Amino acid sequence: MNPIVVVHGGGAGPISRDRKERMHKGIVRAATVGYGILREGGSAVDAVEGAVVALEDDPEFNAGYGSVLNTDGEVEMDASIMDGKDLSVGAVSAVRCIANPIKLARLVMEKTPHCFLTDQGAAQFAAAMGVPEIPGEKLVTEKNKKRLEKEKHEKGAQKTDCEKNLGTVGAVALDSKGKKKKKTSTGGIINKKKKKNGDTPCVGAGGYADNKKKKISTTGHGESIKKKKMARLTLFHIEQGKTVEEKKKKSLGYMKSRVKKKKKLIVVSKTGDKKKKTSTSMPWAAAKDGKLHFGIDPDDTKKKKLP
């Protein structure tokens, strides 16, 4: 089976040409890292971790170093991973002072009998696993300080700014053995309450993976995604015999009508021959058969050969 990796960088919205170029480079870099791992015989879990770490280390994306700030001007992050083989899950929320929360989520899945750790429990587990702790201010960027200040001074900004410019990063992969993994990571929404959890660590909302079906990763307004368990809702439509296009329209249309929010998602089939992104605007990249497809704006797909 030909391996595939698909990566998304959350919501984008109208952005400058310079930032669009930086986001293109970041999303291409992440997909290339993940695909390189698969091509060298690595597992899907290693591939999605490598891709998401690349996005967490990039200040252009709302995860890790690029995370937005809570009401106290601090970074608190969520992340999750799901194994499509046995449906095992690892998730963390309200994580602070860690560069790559996606690595901690994987440790929860592989090293504990639990699915979800949060706040101090996650911090204590990270210390026990030897995950390096860094000063919280090392994750705070000047750009996100300005975003928080703007959010606090502009009435109603959270309802628009967070929808257009932020979101969850994620990756889904299918390795040569047909094993699927999905990983997502986020800094949440600007000016959020302390210890607030989004959809990212919630299985069935922020993502889902099943080797016998498909793998799904979502991004958008976390509260509304959680209300309707968007990833699992999409999988339900697939189980009813819907095509990818029918599923996309039905799930996203339902979410828009019921909770009045636009969402984005990507799907990889069990054969790896379908990849889909749906959004008004979203950085994404997909690598397969030595080729890379990527873009941000609708109907604007670029292609290149991988080395």
Side-chain angles (χ1 to χ4, degrees), residues 188-209:
I189 61 175
I190 299 173
N191 201 30
K192 64 183 179 180
K193 298 289 186 182
K194 292 188 68 171
K195 313 307 177 189
K196 181 263 182 194
N197 297 332
D199 66 288
T200 294
C202 299
V203 177
Y208 201 83

Side-chain angles (χ1 to χ4, degrees), residues 114-165:
H114 310 304
C115 292
F116 193 164
L117 295 178
T118 188
D119 193 20
Q120 291 302 309
Q124 292 170 10
F125 174 67
M129 290 291 101
V131 176
E133 182 174 320
I134 63 174
E137 57 269 23
K138 292 287 187 180
L139 296 171
V140 177
T141 66
E142 288 300 318
K143 177 172 63 179
N144 282 321
K145 286 182 181 180
K146 293 177 181 178
R147 279 177 172 167
L148 178 62
E149 183 178 351
K150 178 181 178 182
E151 178 70 20
K152 288 184 174 182
H153 286 85
E154 291 186 10
K155 184 178 180 180
Q158 179 169 303
K159 295 180 181 179
T160 57
D161 228 19
C162 294
E163 281 279 305
K164 292 180 178 179
N165 298 308

